[in-house]
Amino acid sequence: MKRSRWRVATEADVHLIVAESYKALEALGARPVQAAKFTTAVSELARNILKYADRGYIEFVELVEDNRVGMRAEVTDKGPGIADIELALADSYSSSGTLGLGLPGVRRLAHRFEIESEVGKGTRVLIEMWVR
Amino acid sequence: MSFTAMDLHSPDTASLLKVYGIGDAEIETLHAWKAHLEGGGFERVVADFYTWLQRQPEYEEFIDNPETERRLRRLQTTHLVSLVSGEFDDRYFSNRTRVGEVHARIGLPLHSYHGAMNHLCLCMLRQLPPDVDPLGATVTLLRVLHLDTALVALAYSRYANDRVAAQSKALLEMSTPVTEIWRGVLLLPIVGIIDSGRAQDIMTGALTKISSSRARVFIMDISGVAVVDTAVANYLIKVTRATRLMGCECIVSGVSPAIAETIVELGIDVGTIVTTGTLMQALVLAFDRVGLSVEQSGRAG
Ligand SMILES: Nc1ncnc2c1ncn2[C@@H]1O[C@H](COP(=O)(O)OP(=O)(O)O)[C@@H](O)[C@H]1O
Ligand SMILES: [Mg+2]
């Protein structure tokens, strides 16, 4: 199983991760729409780290099962956490005046979406996308 | 943002000394080296080192005349004296950082620098003071030389990071050329990644050009953009709003099927923004807006 872990602390980190994520999906044989969806989700989560938690990590794991392959991204930070996850997942809610479509959008883009957060401890989001 | 990549790599003096295990006992041992090497010992170590260095392939490339060598030998001697003086203060740290920058700038590979320090260690061990515990003194020397080399390596990586950052900044700045492709029609092809800084450049570039050219249509072609997340979409929406305020219609072209589907799933309301799949469709629209039509002339094709 292939894994890679990336630090997210600057815009440049996000650029690198976005490019690598797209390449990794293509290497798995993903169609452009799958690569675009997964990478866009990764970009949303990485940017949320910069915006709300200052820094964190993204870990990619290639998923291989008998009859399908896919990619998982686990995005963690030790930032302020989210007090009301339901609210954060609602369309158009933003504590910073932006579109507020990141988390709900990521939830729609991914095949599997999990979020855990504790105020004062941090946030963990897991997404998966199956490509074939 | 307060936390940058470099903060992780710029530890303070006290914590470095702690990590490398350099305390009072080690400094005392260093002073024994110092007492032993004074009165010609330092010069012997440096001479020994240069006998080896002159046989290295890097020597001829980087040390091209006798004056350079004399200067470097003097610097090396001073460095050794400062090492065994055990005064690891800010001056020492900034000095090592500068040495690292100098070596990185001339393109000396890090392994060549480290290899030379490795040999310098051997030259020092050949001048071990007589009345110290040899193992203890060796360990102390290793600790100090490792710390010393780490500072240089940090400067190398900082230099590399800075250079990459500067290059990509230069590239991004070059890549927002708004061109008047026909009277009243502007085109901006966007390639790569859009971040807040670049979005600002795009906005400023577009509005300035619209005002100077009195353009009626502004085409932003995003076929070279791989990812349109909510932040990028938000920038694009803002640019179209601002151009419209200036009496110029904005067309976003090059929206691939993958990007269209992603934008819909994100739930972004593109409202009244005019979008097209290809640049050609956008051109047809634009010519129409400025009252032109394109026809086959009959001479070609
Ligand atoms: N990693 C995070 N740490 C803390 N809060 C977060 C994090 N990610 C998202 N949030 C909270 O959830 C809200 C919704 O996020 P999102 O849907 O991405 O919209 P936006 O980033 O536009 O505000 C944010 O406004 C923020 O309050
Ligand atoms: Mg967001």
Side-chain angles (χ1 to χ4, degrees):
Chain A
M1 185 168 44
K2 272 203 238 161
R3 275 174 191 279
S4 63
R5 190 174 164 83
W6 304 74
R7 188 194 54 150
V8 184
T10 64
E11 286 257 14
D13 293 337
V14 177
H15 296 175
L16 204 67
I17 290 165
V18 163
E20 289 297 323
S21 159
Y22 201 91
K23 272 192 258 169
L25 264 283
E26 280 183 325
L28 277 185
R31 288 181 287 117
V33 64
Q34 294 170 322
K37 284 184 180 181
F38 185 82
T39 305
T40 304
V42 163
S43 177
E44 288 297 338
L45 298 173
R47 282 187 196 269
N48 276 356
I49 287 184
L50 291 189
K51 246 162 104 177
Y52 305 111
D54 222 28
R55 62 193 170 108
Y57 289 92
I58 293 192
E59 183 162 321
F60 294 104
V61 183
E62 247 179 63
L63 307 172
V64 181
E65 285 182 4
D66 291 343
N67 52 0
R68 55 180 190 170
V69 298
M71 188 71 87
R72 170 187 300 158
E74 197 178 339
V75 186
T76 50
D77 67 64
K78 293 198 168 78
I82 302 173
D84 188 339
I85 291 188
E86 215 171 304
L87 186 61
L89 284 172
D91 274 337
S92 305
Y93 168 76
S94 173
S95 61
S96 67
T98 44
L99 294 180
L101 293 169
L103 288 178
V106 170
R107 171 143 82 164
R108 285 186 288 265
L109 288 169
H111 293 144
R112 176 173 168 208
F113 174 88
E114 275 176 28
I115 181 165
E116 274 168 23
S117 189
E118 202 176 322
V119 172
K121 289 257 169 73
T123 303
R124 172 182 166 276
V125 181
L126 184 146
I127 55 169
E128 283 177 7
M129 175 85 116
W130 296 100
V131 304
R132 32 182 182 93
Chain B
M1 202 184 339
S2 58
F3 191 95
T4 68
M6 279 343 290
D7 293 334
L8 264 184
H9 300 295
S10 305
D12 61 276
T13 315
S15 63
L16 268 173
L17 290 175
K18 200 161 158 243
V19 170
Y20 282 84
I22 300 167
D24 292 344
E26 285 70 26
I27 291 187
E28 203 172 300
T29 308
L30 288 175
H31 288 163
W33 281 93
K34 187 170 188 224
H36 176 62
L37 292 176
E38 265 161 359
F42 287 111
E43 286 74 11
R44 273 197 299 281
V45 172
V46 173
D48 190 7
F49 174 71
Y50 268 83
T51 311
W52 173 84
L53 193 64
Q54 282 162 356
R55 292 197 306 267
Q56 303 312 306
E58 291 86 357
Y59 180 82
E60 275 187 24
E61 185 174 343
F62 294 105
I63 304 178
D64 48 9
N65 66 62
E67 180 43 42
T68 308
E69 177 170 328
R70 271 195 293 279
R71 195 170 48 79
L72 289 178
R73 278 180 182 241
R74 270 199 309 277
L75 282 173
Q76 178 110 46
T77 311
T78 318
H79 172 222
L80 284 179
V81 174
S82 102
L83 260 190
V84 294
S85 302
E87 283 162 17
F88 301 112
D89 50 11
D90 288 345
R91 232 186 79 207
Y92 165 78
F93 278 76
S94 64
N95 180 279
R96 287 292 94 195
T97 302
R98 204 178 43 76
V99 167
E101 282 164 6
V102 168
H103 285 96
R105 262 202 305 275
I106 61 168
L108 180 75
L110 186 54
H111 63 263
S112 301
Y113 180 84
H114 192 245
M117 289 304 275
N118 186 47
H119 191 79
L120 182 68
C121 180
L122 182 67
C123 298
M124 284 288 282
L125 287 175
R126 286 184 183 136
Q127 308 288 330
L128 202 65
D131 354 297
V132 294
D133 161 36
L135 181 61
T138 304
V139 170
T140 296
L141 183 68
L142 287 177
R143 289 179 190 279
V144 169
L145 283 179
H146 281 150
L147 167 65
D148 195 80
T149 311
L151 292 172
V152 169
L154 282 169
Y156 263 83
S157 71
R158 188 170 312 142
Y159 176 80
N161 279 344
D162 288 353
R163 218 171 54 163
V164 169
Q167 277 168 350
S168 52
K169 187 161 178 284
L171 265 180
L172 288 181
E173 277 164 2
M174 278 184 343
S175 58
T176 47
V178 182
T179 320
E180 186 165 22
I181 51 166
W182 196 265
R183 206 171 307 116
V185 181
L186 301 180
L187 171 66
L188 172 65
I190 307 176
V191 177
I193 288 160
I194 306 178
D195 59 17
S196 52
R198 191 148 178 238
Q200 189 55 56
D201 291 347
I202 291 171
M203 177 79 94
T204 315
L207 298 185
T208 312
K209 192 83 183 193
I210 288 169
S211 133
S212 69
S213 68
R214 303 217 184 91
R216 306 238 321 267
V217 187
F218 172 58
I219 303 172
M220 237 184 326
D221 186 73
I222 61 164
S223 48
V225 178
V227 170
V228 177
D229 61 10
T230 61
V232 172
N234 205 13
Y235 298 139
L236 296 178
I237 291 169
K238 283 184 177 161
V239 172
T240 60
R241 280 204 198 118
T243 55
R244 199 168 291 161
L245 275 177
M246 296 187 67
C248 177
E249 163 130 41
C250 184
I251 302 173
V252 178
S253 72
V255 180
S256 68
I259 285 186
E261 210 178 312
T262 306
I263 288 179
V264 169
E265 296 237 61
L266 282 173
I268 295 163
D269 177 14
V270 294
T272 54
I273 298 181
V274 181
T275 60
T276 64
T278 66
L279 180 54
M280 205 190 290
Q281 291 166 316
L283 279 177
V284 171
L285 273 183
F287 286 145
D288 188 52
R289 294 289 146 85
V290 297
L292 290 167
S293 66
V294 181
E295 280 172 25
Q296 189 82 43
S297 72
R299 264 175 291 161

